[in-house]
Amino acid sequence: MLTIDLDALADNWRTLSRLCAPARCAAVVKADAYGLGATPVVRCLLNAGCREFFVSLLDEGVRLRESVADAWPRGAHLYVLHGTPGGAESDCLAYGFVPVLNTKGQVERWQALARRQGRPQPAALQVDTAMTRLGLPPSTLTRMLEAREGLSGVTTTLVMSQLINAHKPQHPANRRQLELFRRWRQRFPSAKGSLADSSGIFLGHDFHFDVVRAGTALYGVAPAAGMPTPMRQVVQVKARLLQCREVSTGEGTGDQGPWRATRPTRLATLSLGPVGDYLGGEPQGRLRVAGRALPLVSRPSQHTAVVDATEMDAAHLAIGALLDLVDEVQDINAFAEATQTTAFDVLTSLGSHYRRQYQGKLPL
Ligand SMILES: *Cc1c(COP(=O)(O)O)cnc(C)c1O
């Protein structure tokens, strides 16, 4: 069971908005709002005052936009981070989405659309200031701007780039990307600028420009591992107990490795979902369940984990019981730290496995 606290989510948006004012805080709601449910998340954030949203895909945008049609105010913007797939430009336009143009081909197809429409069309332009990710490499963009056609037909309303090391505040790449981005921002004086993701927001005002793009921070994740955070916790997770077994000294667990009981042991099998794949690489790992750090007796696999629950009160171990997995003590940050992946992967895999329930004010 995944409980999502919408009041905490709205508070987090307000906290980030205060932190980055006068810049505006956009919400990144790709991947079904990181597994938490794009429709209720966007309704909640619209209600709190958020007006800029980012999804990855055009189809995601279409589904989302239709599910919140009655609540979508004039002046709200939905950006499509991966831009439009070739041939879908007119759909993007029909929905009023702003595509993020990342490649020369995407720019050219948006220009062709503008010619067909007989007037320039708004778009966001992503510059790759780290030479690694999505976005137009600076050399490509320079050549395009120098060409006779330039960017005619494209009204650049937002210039953006993505930081690659914002979760490491001291990393020199942050300043380098900032300087490069500043120069590109100046080439588009009437566009808004956007550089910071969640971690970038905490690098300071220099990084805020006009719009920040918050994903994980909205959902309660700290800006960097171990760093104090002003964000409220949004998710709680209870894992279902699938099975309980008593094994005697010397017995092992199936084919999953060398574990053998050194005393009479109570084993509990929990339904974890794909997040299990990220947990506890070492056999000596522990998983905090129902407030106790229990030894993992095998590497979690096939969406389950087996823990040694001998120390647990048998009263907690009824088959089907829901046991705290992400709670006040082991919050999403601690839980993500116990895994070998990103908070994004943890949230989306929790969201795909557990039944979601919402608490707090859910606007209609
Ligand atoms: C996903 C994404 C973000 C949000 O990142 P968080 O670390 O979750 O805040 C911002 N910008 C772009 C381009 C993204 O793809």
Side-chain angles (χ1 to χ4, degrees), residues 175 178-179 181-182 195-196 200-201 203-209:
R175 281 273 145 197
L178 175 64
E179 292 313 322
F181 183 69
R182 273 201 179 119
L195 179 63
I201 294 170
L203 296 177
H205 267 298
D206 283 357
F207 288 81
H208 295 164
F209 295 90

Side-chain angles (χ1 to χ4, degrees), residues 193-271:
S194 178
L195 179 63
D197 57 4
S198 292
S199 303
I201 294 170
F202 294 87
L203 296 177
H205 267 298
D206 283 357
F207 288 81
H208 295 164
F209 295 90
D210 304 296
V211 178
V212 301
R213 307 183 306 267
T216 50
L218 283 173
Y219 312 121
V221 176
M227 211 164 137
T229 171
M231 308 329 298
R232 284 182 58 188
Q233 287 306 299
V234 173
V235 303
Q236 294 205 351
V237 179
K238 288 180 191 290
R240 194 169 296 281
L241 178 65
L242 295 174
Q243 202 176 1
C244 222
R245 277 187 229 84
E246 310 285 339
V247 298
S248 352
T249 308
E251 280 190 278
T253 52
D255 57 4
Q256 292 206 5
W259 186 85
R260 289 265 168 276
T262 53
R263 55 171 183 170
T265 303
R266 180 182 300 126
L267 296 179
T269 304
L270 300 165
S271 174

